Amino acid sequence: MNQKVKETNCLNSNEYDNLKKMLLKRGIFSEAMLDEQLPIFCSDTEGMGAYYFMTTSLDLVAEHFESISCAGILSESSGELGHNIEISNNKGSSAIFIAGGSLDNILSTEQKIEQMYHGYRLQSYLTQSKINPLRVYFLNKPRSKIKTNDSEEFDIRKIIDQDFLVSTMQETRTRYQQLLNASKHSEGPVIEVTDGRYGETRIMICIKQEYANNYLSQITTVTNFYQLRSRRKYIEPLANNRVIVSLYFPGISENIIHNLVEDLSLIHLMRRENFGPFIIRASFNIRQAFFIHAASTFTHHFISDFDSEYVAITRVLRDYPEQLGALRNIRNHYIKSNYSEERIFETVFRYPEIVKNIYGYFSRRFNPYRVKENPQELKDKAHNDIQLLVQNDIDKAILKWFLLFSDKTLKTNFYFKQKMALSFRMDGSIVNKLEYPENPYAIILILGKEFSGYHVRFRPIARGGIRIIRSNDK
């Protein structure tokens, strides 16, 4: 090994020479190509990084080098920035995925992994090449000491993969155990941020497996919003129905860490298809996207547009219940067709800055980090912008109801760190008196990953709750 290679190489001279001999013996690559490509692969600045080599045997390193090199050759020969490649063994116990290029390319690979290899261990590394970095995913079926899941077991040595215990340092195992202990009485995700090696920021998340089905691609959607790319990430499924995710980034500022942790505490509550388009198409962050989902749900259910003619007709027909019922059905059909969820989303994409100001007003009212800021100025700005900039009556009505949702919400758990659903308690006077003659004491909107519903009460203490009604088309 020459001096230049030695300066950035993650392997010592003997390890590097043994790896090169192993690859020459396999006969796939010439010595000239290995002399050109192997130093890059083993480099701490351009290749897989030091931690990969610390925790991976030389046999596996040789296999991985072959796979990644072939992917690079294919990418260059196709003329594309990135290529998706899958390599799996016949028994289904392990697989390698390699992706590069656009965010869509990365997300399609991760969604395929989630569908095909749910419950597998994942180790992912980003090659450090400045020209065409590749995201590499290594998947293996976990082998824990106990063979059947036990949700009451919290000894990391019994419920994590045995290879993990062999390949990691005591410091890492202790960190995993401490996070697992912290999650013992938590239903939601437990998130910890610490400093990692090499000036990295380490984010660890412990979450129940039932909420982790699409977590890999959801995390990528969130981190991409902040233009962050993890150098490496790991998913360790545990035999107590929990999962620990570890993400390593180049050093992140305190402000971004705070926002990122808030976003990561939300994503298990909603399907990616419900918030992804808002982030990708209109540059909303996760909290804004979740607010849009809540405000849209509320607007779609409660928006009303009573003009003087309609009110006059209802008064004429008040002694004719059948005709009055038919009139209300016609009006409801009109409202639902003009204010469908799709139509509401069109308005959101057409006026993203007004929507962001409406969310800003909501945030200043309820976010404990922003309560000292004046919410009224953002409310006034949003109101004035709706009046001056929005010409279409339907757009104007939708945005007014978004603002009404922010204004009439009295309490919410939106900014709580641990939650299993979002809830918004609203002033009962928000409903229209023509449709609801008696004002409720409170209307509580609850949004979960698989449902949405309302709890309406007419007294401070009232029995009842969410009634689950499954849709016929789901």
Side-chain angles (χ1 to χ4, degrees):
M1 188 191 302
N2 61 45
Q3 185 59 35
K4 185 177 180 180
V5 171
K6 188 181 295 185
E7 288 175 359
T8 61
N9 203 302
C10 299
L11 300 175
N12 60 41
S13 296
N14 288 335
E15 291 170 333
Y16 181 84
D17 291 341
N18 288 337
L19 177 61
K20 183 178 176 181
K21 288 175 183 177
M22 290 169 62
L23 290 165
L24 285 172
K25 189 175 181 180
R26 289 169 178 260
I28 297 176
F29 302 113
S30 67
E31 185 168 6
M33 182 183 176
L34 289 176
D35 287 339
E36 179 184 352
Q37 296 296 326
L38 194 55
I40 298 173
F41 179 83
C42 297
S43 169
D44 191 31
T45 57
E46 295 184 77
M48 297 292 284
Y51 195 82
Y52 166 79
F53 291 96
M54 289 171 58
T55 58
T56 310
S57 68
L58 283 184
D59 288 334
L60 269 181
V61 170
E63 291 181 16
H64 295 167
F65 174 80
E66 288 177 347
S67 302
I68 294 168
S69 296
C70 290
I73 292 169
L74 180 59
S75 178
E76 290 178 11
S77 63
S78 68
E80 299 178 7
L81 289 176
H83 225 80
N84 286 5
I85 293 177
E86 175 191 351
I87 303 167
S88 59
N89 67 15
N90 294 329
K91 297 180 180 179
S93 59
S94 65
I96 300 174
F97 285 79
I98 302 167
S102 67
L103 173 65
D104 286 342
N105 214 24
I106 299 291
L107 287 175
S108 67
T109 298
E110 294 187 345
Q111 287 163 7
K112 187 174 183 180
I113 290 172
E114 289 165 341
Q115 292 168 6
M116 297 178 61
Y117 294 94
H118 177 67
Y120 276 58
R121 298 183 69 209
L122 180 141
Q123 301 173 68
S124 177
Y125 300 89
L126 181 69
T127 61
Q128 302 302 305
S129 170
K130 295 178 181 179
I131 300 174
N132 184 26
L134 296 171
R135 171 71 67 182
V136 187
Y137 305 86
F138 304 117
L139 294 125
N140 292 279
K141 188 174 287 187
R143 298 180 303 105
S144 62
K145 193 170 184 179
I146 63 174
K147 302 305 178 186
T148 56
N149 280 358
D150 181 358
S151 59
E152 301 299 318
E153 181 58 70
F154 281 84
D155 186 341
I156 198 73
R157 296 168 298 178
K158 296 178 181 179
I159 58 177
I160 204 164
D161 180 78
Q162 295 302 290
D163 289 338
F164 171 90
L165 297 175
V166 173
S167 62
T168 57
M169 297 177 289
Q170 180 60 47
E171 175 192 353
T172 302
R173 297 191 291 274
T174 300
R175 194 163 53 245
Y176 272 66
Q177 182 66 68
Q178 290 172 345
L179 180 66
L180 185 61
N181 292 342
S183 75
K184 187 174 293 187
H185 302 293
S186 172
E187 287 294 319
V190 176
I191 303 173
E192 291 187 357
V193 182
T194 54
D195 294 328
R197 293 168 177 262
Y198 321 113
E200 295 174 315
T201 297
R202 179 197 300 115
I203 299 177
M204 296 182 67
I205 309 162
C206 186
I207 185 171
K208 288 191 171 182
Q209 286 184 4
E210 61 191 283
Y211 296 104
N213 291 347
N214 304 304
Y215 215 49
L216 177 63
S217 59
Q218 288 175 331
I219 288 172
T220 298
T221 301
V222 173
T223 56
N224 182 73
F225 175 83
Y226 295 101
Q227 299 181 328
L228 296 173
R229 289 197 299 182
S230 60
R231 288 176 175 170
R232 47 199 171 97
K233 49 190 173 185
Y234 308 94
I235 296 179
E236 293 289 347
L238 308 177
N240 69 345
N241 298 314
R242 283 172 168 76
V243 174
I244 293 181
V245 180
S246 300
L247 310 167
Y248 291 80
F249 300 92
I252 307 175
S253 70
E254 286 295 326
N255 182 53
I256 291 180
I257 287 174
H258 170 74
N259 290 328
L260 184 57
V261 168
E262 281 200 353
D263 288 352
L264 291 173
S265 73
L266 278 171
I267 57 175
H268 69 291
L269 298 178
M270 197 193 305
R271 297 175 182 273
R272 182 183 170 275
E273 56 265 28
N274 288 341
F275 66 79
F278 297 114
I279 299 172
I280 296 168
R281 283 182 56 186
S283 298
F284 293 107
N285 64 32
I286 284 289
R287 280 152 291 152
Q288 291 167 343
F290 272 61
F291 169 80
I292 291 167
H293 178 59
S296 300
T297 301
F298 167 79
T299 299
H300 177 65
H301 280 97
F302 284 101
I303 193 167
S304 57
D305 188 12
F306 294 96
D307 54 27
S308 57
E309 290 86 354
Y310 176 83
V311 174
I313 294 172
T314 59
R315 287 172 179 166
V316 171
L317 296 177
R318 63 186 173 186
D319 295 327
Y320 302 91
E322 288 186 7
Q323 288 88 338
L324 185 59
L327 177 65
R328 284 173 174 164
N329 288 338
I330 293 170
R331 179 198 158 274
N332 288 338
H333 178 74
Y334 165 80
I335 290 290
K336 294 307 178 187
S337 61
N338 281 282
Y339 298 99
S340 65
E341 289 185 343
E342 292 76 13
R343 183 62 183 83
I344 292 171
F345 295 161
E346 286 180 23
T347 300
V348 170
F349 291 131
R350 191 173 290 131
Y351 296 101
E353 294 308 314
I354 294 179
V355 173
K356 287 178 182 179
N357 281 332
I358 294 173
Y359 167 75
Y361 168 54
F362 175 87
S363 178
R364 288 187 180 185
R365 290 189 64 212
F366 297 107
N367 189 336
Y369 290 93
R370 301 192 67 185
V371 290
K372 293 183 179 179
E373 302 176 44
N374 180 16
Q376 189 64 38
E377 60 183 4
L378 280 181
K379 178 184 177 182
D380 293 342
K381 177 169 176 50
H383 176 77
N384 292 335
D385 286 347
I386 292 170
Q387 295 299 118
L388 298 174
L389 303 178
V390 182
Q391 304 301 319
N392 183 278
D393 288 340
I394 293 177
D395 289 335
K396 188 171 288 188
I398 289 169
L399 292 171
K400 283 182 177 179
W401 275 79
F402 268 47
L403 187 57
L404 189 66
F405 174 76
S406 293
D407 198 39
K408 293 296 185 179
T409 297
L410 303 177
K411 292 181 179 180
T412 180
N413 68 345
F414 193 90
Y415 295 100
F416 290 8
K417 284 192 175 180
Q418 294 188 22
K419 49 193 171 288
M420 300 312 297
L422 292 176
S423 65
F424 306 83
R425 177 183 168 178
M426 290 167 285
D427 187 338
S429 66
I430 201 167
V431 299
N432 192 286
K433 285 183 170 54
L434 276 174
E435 286 192 301
Y436 307 95
E438 183 181 354
N439 269 357
Y441 176 80
I443 298 173
I444 302 170
L445 168 62
I446 302 177
L447 295 171
K449 190 168 187 176
E450 304 293 341
F451 76 97
S452 63
Y454 293 90
H455 172 64
V456 182
R457 66 168 65 167
F458 289 84
R459 293 174 180 79
I461 299 175
R463 62 186 296 271
I466 292 291
R467 301 293 190 265
I468 303 299
I469 303 174
R470 295 192 177 276
S471 171
N472 291 328
D473 60 352
K474 294 290 180 72

